[in-house]
């Protein structure tokens, strides 16, 4: 243990690993059984730490759990994998009440050291440390959860080929944690049949105190109800425009992101075509408040790939010169765009727009403007360009709007879109289209 480091009472950065044993204090279990579970986990942790000497800078047992502070993210992730693989083997032969399940929370951030009156060393304390403990508390059995700050650091390094862990990180949405006033992003570290648990996180809200002790006057309830009904009516009217093929709906980018979220929540079998080059697409669609790729990635994660064989495609429709120039001019964003598709098993193809005029002319209902998103069996979304308007309140920051047209399954636009994508997929399957991958990227960058 690095005691010199902890003697300094200055701000330091650490990786926080919290673990506890699910149900270890169950009164139906004998004390002997409870202690055996604690000993097994304690011994696993001790043996692993011994194999990676001086990796931890602080550790503290908390009965059936432990806090360990590391200097890098490799240590807590590898420790999590080691524990899960070993308890998986142990559980194969253990009796039902002897089986071990753990919860793990991992965070990253700054901490201050202080004398806690218990340990000889200075103990760490900080906001991200508390977050790591909080997300461990909401984890399901054998689930490994990460805070947003920890996820961003690991994922960013992964995108630049600095680690192997990024492909095993899954967004579990925003969660309200104990004593927190804002929602926190939470992520799962999971690899099928090896480690982690990728189940959705659920938590309950106790409404009994509100129901029992709060009495609302009619003068309060009636205005609130009218307000909600009026806003709901406005929303329905807006969606009438959205599904009107002659009008469409023009909305701000925050609402655009919400529409993407709703559509992806309701459908996972998605295919798309865009007229935007890779660099421009990545910068626009991957950033808040749109987050199209984030919503699509969540939908892909929910699919049961073992039981359902699906192929996912995205087609780039443009002249080759435009595509190649974008890759050269926006190397980082283009590479990230291409890597996203390879990591999420979405096949990315290029189509020279002049080569498919014979296909495009057959489907007049499709607006070939900026893009087309198709959810099989659900709906098709045609989206136009993003437009800027003068912001009277702040002319340095114009108002951004985007126009949409949404068509449900069974409509003529939906049927034409279905046939349109069937033709494109057929061309791809017969190797008539160019695949956009790392080889294509390297060829353009290296000029070969």
């Amino acid at each position: 243990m690095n005691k010199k480091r902890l003697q300094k009472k200055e701000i330091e950065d650490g990786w926080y690993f919290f673990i506890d044993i699910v149900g270890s204090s169950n009164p139906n279990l004998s004390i002997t059984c409870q202690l055996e579970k604690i000993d097994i986990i304690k011994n696993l942790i001790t043996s692993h730490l011994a194999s990676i000497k001086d990796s931890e800078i602080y550790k503290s047992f908390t009965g059936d759990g432990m806090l360990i502070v590391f200097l890098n993210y490799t240590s807590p992730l590898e420790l999590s994998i080691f524990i899960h693989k070993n308890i998986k083997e142990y559980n194969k032969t253990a009796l039902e009440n002897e089986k071990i399940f753990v919860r793990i929370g991992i965070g990253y951030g700054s901490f201050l050291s202080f004398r806690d009156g218990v340990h000889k060393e200075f103990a760490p304390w900080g906001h991200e440390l508390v977050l790591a403990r909080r997300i461990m508390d909401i984890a399901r059995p054998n689930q490994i959860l990460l805070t947003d700050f920890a996820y961003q650091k690991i994922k960013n390094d992964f995108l630049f080929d600095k680690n192997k862990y990024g492909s095993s990180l899954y967004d579990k949405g925003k969660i309200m944690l104990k004593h927190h006033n804002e929602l926190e992003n939470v992520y799962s570290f999971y690899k099928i049949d090896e480690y982690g648990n990728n189940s959705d996180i659920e938590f309950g809200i106790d409404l009994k105190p509100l129901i029992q002790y709060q009495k609302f006057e009619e003068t309060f309830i009636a205005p609130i109800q009218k307000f909600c009904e009026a806003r709901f009516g406005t929303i329905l009217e807006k969606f009438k425009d959205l599904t009107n093929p002659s009008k469409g709906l023009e909305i701000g980018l925050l609402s655009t992101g919400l529409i993407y979220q709703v559509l992806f929540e309701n459908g996972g079998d998605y295919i798309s075509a865009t007229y935007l080059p890779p660099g421009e697409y990545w910068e626009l669609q991957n950033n808040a408040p749109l987050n199209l790729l984030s919503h699509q990635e969540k939908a892909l994660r929910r699919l049961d790939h073992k039981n359902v064989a699906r192929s996912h495609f995205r087609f780039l429709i443009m002249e080759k010169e435009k595509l190649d120039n974008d890759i050269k001019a926006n190397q980082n964003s283009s590479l990230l765009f291409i890597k996203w598709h390879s990591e999420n098993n979405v096949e990315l193809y290029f189509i020279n727009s002049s080569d498919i005029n014979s296909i495009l002319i057959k489907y007049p209902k499709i607006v070939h403007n900026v893009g087309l998103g198709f959810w099989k069996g659900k709906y098709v979304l045609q989206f136009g360009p993003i437009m800027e308007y003068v912001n009277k309140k702040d002319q340095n920051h114009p108002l951004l709007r985007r126009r949409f047209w949404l068509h449900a399954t069974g409509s003529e636009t939906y049927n034409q879109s279905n046939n349109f994508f069937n033709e494109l997929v057929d061309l791809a399957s017969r190797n008539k289209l160019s695949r956009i991958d790392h080889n294509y990227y390297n060829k353009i960058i290296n000029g070969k």
Side-chain angles (χ1 to χ4, degrees):
M1 187 175 296
N2 193 335
K3 293 185 179 180
K4 281 188 176 180
R5 176 179 294 275
L6 285 175
Q7 292 298 323
K8 299 176 182 179
K9 297 183 182 180
E10 57 192 34
I11 297 176
E12 300 184 75
D13 289 335
W15 285 86
Y16 314 113
F17 173 92
F18 279 96
I19 183 173
D20 74 3
I21 303 171
V22 178
S24 63
S25 57
N26 185 341
N28 294 321
L29 295 179
S30 68
I31 297 297
T32 302
C33 183
Q34 295 175 15
L35 290 176
E36 285 178 353
K37 291 185 178 185
I38 293 172
D39 278 342
I40 289 171
I41 295 299
K42 181 180 176 181
N43 291 335
L44 284 175
I45 292 174
T46 301
S47 65
H48 185 76
L49 293 182
S51 69
I52 48 173
K53 294 180 179 180
D54 299 326
S55 64
E56 79 274 13
I57 58 176
Y58 178 85
K59 61 182 177 182
S60 172
F61 283 97
T62 56
D64 62 348
M66 179 181 274
L67 160 64
I68 309 175
V69 183
F70 294 99
L71 291 174
N72 58 68
Y73 56 72
T74 301
S75 297
L77 295 179
E78 288 297 327
L79 177 57
S80 300
I81 295 171
F82 178 79
I83 292 171
H84 275 225
K85 288 185 175 180
N86 278 274
I87 62 175
K88 181 180 178 182
E89 287 301 313
Y90 170 82
N91 287 341
K92 287 180 179 178
T93 57
L95 297 176
E96 193 61 33
N97 64 347
E98 295 176 349
K99 291 183 178 179
I100 300 175
F101 303 95
V102 297
R103 299 180 299 182
I104 294 175
I106 297 174
Y108 167 70
S110 300
F111 66 86
L112 282 169
S113 300
F114 73 105
R115 291 282 186 191
D116 63 3
V118 177
H119 302 89
K120 294 180 180 180
E121 302 88 358
F122 283 101
W125 190 261
H127 175 69
E128 291 294 326
L129 181 150
V130 175
L131 278 182
R133 170 60 190 268
R134 296 282 185 244
I135 65 169
M136 179 200 71
D137 289 340
I138 64 172
R140 288 176 172 272
N142 282 358
Q143 193 164 45
I144 308 166
L145 297 182
L146 281 77
T147 64
D148 186 53
F149 204 12
Y151 165 84
Q152 298 299 341
K153 172 62 176 173
I154 298 169
K155 187 71 173 182
N156 183 69
D157 281 3
F158 173 74
L159 292 174
F160 288 96
D161 296 321
K162 294 182 179 180
N163 67 55
K164 60 183 179 181
Y165 307 111
S167 59
S168 299
L169 298 176
Y170 299 85
D171 190 343
K172 306 312 294 181
K174 292 180 178 291
I175 303 296
M176 182 65 75
L177 300 175
K178 183 180 179 181
H179 300 317
H180 285 250
N181 296 323
E182 296 182 357
L183 295 171
E184 298 286 346
N185 290 302
V186 179
Y187 302 84
S188 170
F189 184 50
Y190 166 78
K191 191 170 185 180
I192 189 169
D193 296 329
E194 291 194 28
Y195 54 83
N197 177 351
N198 209 32
S199 301
D200 290 336
I201 301 169
E202 296 180 0
F203 60 98
I205 300 177
D206 187 6
L207 297 178
K208 289 182 180 178
L210 179 66
I211 297 171
Q212 291 174 352
Y213 304 114
Q214 297 289 339
K215 294 183 179 180
F216 297 108
E217 298 293 337
E218 181 62 26
T219 52
F220 175 82
I221 295 177
I224 294 296
Q225 184 172 334
K226 289 180 181 179
F227 174 85
C228 293
E229 288 176 349
R231 294 307 181 273
F232 189 68
T234 301
I235 293 170
L236 290 178
E237 288 298 320
K238 286 284 187 181
F239 269 84
K240 285 183 181 178
D241 291 341
L242 182 62
T243 57
N244 184 337
S246 64
K247 190 173 184 180
L249 176 64
E250 189 177 301
I251 57 176
L253 296 192
L254 180 60
S255 298
T256 295
L258 292 175
I259 284 180
Y260 286 148
Q261 182 176 356
V262 169
L263 297 181
F264 275 112
E265 284 290 331
N266 192 40
D269 203 349
Y270 179 76
I271 187 171
S272 73
T274 180
Y275 289 77
L276 296 176
E280 186 178 346
Y281 192 104
W282 177 263
E283 295 296 338
L284 176 66
Q285 305 289 15
N286 189 53
N287 292 325
L290 290 175
N291 287 320
L292 170 62
L293 292 179
S294 173
H295 297 309
Q296 184 181 0
E297 186 171 342
K298 291 177 186 177
L300 289 168
R301 301 301 189 197
R302 290 195 301 269
L303 297 177
D304 187 351
H305 292 287
K306 290 198 301 183
N307 299 324
V308 182
R310 287 191 176 97
S311 294
H312 301 272
F313 297 86
R314 180 169 281 114
F315 297 98
L316 305 176
I317 303 176
M318 64 195 71
E319 299 303 319
K320 188 177 188 301
E321 183 180 4
K322 181 179 180 181
L323 171 67
D324 295 350
N325 287 340
D326 176 80
I327 291 176
K328 293 176 183 177
N330 304 290
Q331 294 184 21
N332 287 339
S333 53
S334 293
L335 178 60
L336 291 174
F337 177 78
I338 291 170
K339 289 189 72 171
W340 183 94
H341 287 78
S342 64
E343 291 166 10
N344 290 283
N345 299 312
V346 178
E347 298 186 41
L348 184 63
Y349 286 95
F350 156 70
I351 306 171
N352 195 318
S353 54
S354 60
D355 291 342
I356 58 169
N357 284 332
S358 59
I359 296 177
L360 299 178
I361 199 171
K362 292 191 289 185
Y363 307 112
K365 290 287 185 180
I366 300 176
V367 179
H368 298 289
N369 194 328
V370 171
L372 192 71
F374 182 79
W375 287 262
K376 190 170 184 62
K378 297 290 184 179
Y379 28 67
V380 59
L381 181 73
Q382 299 177 107
F383 41 93
I386 291 178
M387 297 162 283
E388 291 188 1
Y389 295 94
V390 174
N391 186 348
K392 294 180 181 179
K393 295 182 179 179
D394 186 355
Q395 296 192 10
N396 292 321
H397 296 86
L399 298 173
L400 301 179
R401 297 286 185 268
R402 168 167 261 179
R403 184 169 291 279
F404 290 95
W405 295 265
L406 181 68
H407 306 274
T409 177
S411 65
E412 184 57 28
T413 303
Y414 176 92
N415 293 335
Q416 288 194 15
S417 299
N418 186 35
N419 294 335
F420 170 68
F421 280 118
N422 283 341
E423 292 205 43
L424 297 190
V425 171
D426 179 64
L427 289 174
S429 64
R430 293 189 287 114
N431 298 319
K432 300 294 184 180
L433 303 179
S434 298
R435 185 189 293 272
I436 307 301
D437 53 18
H438 289 78
N439 291 331
Y440 188 94
Y441 173 88
N442 291 333
K443 181 179 178 181
I444 297 303
I445 295 300
N446 297 326
K448 295 182 180 179

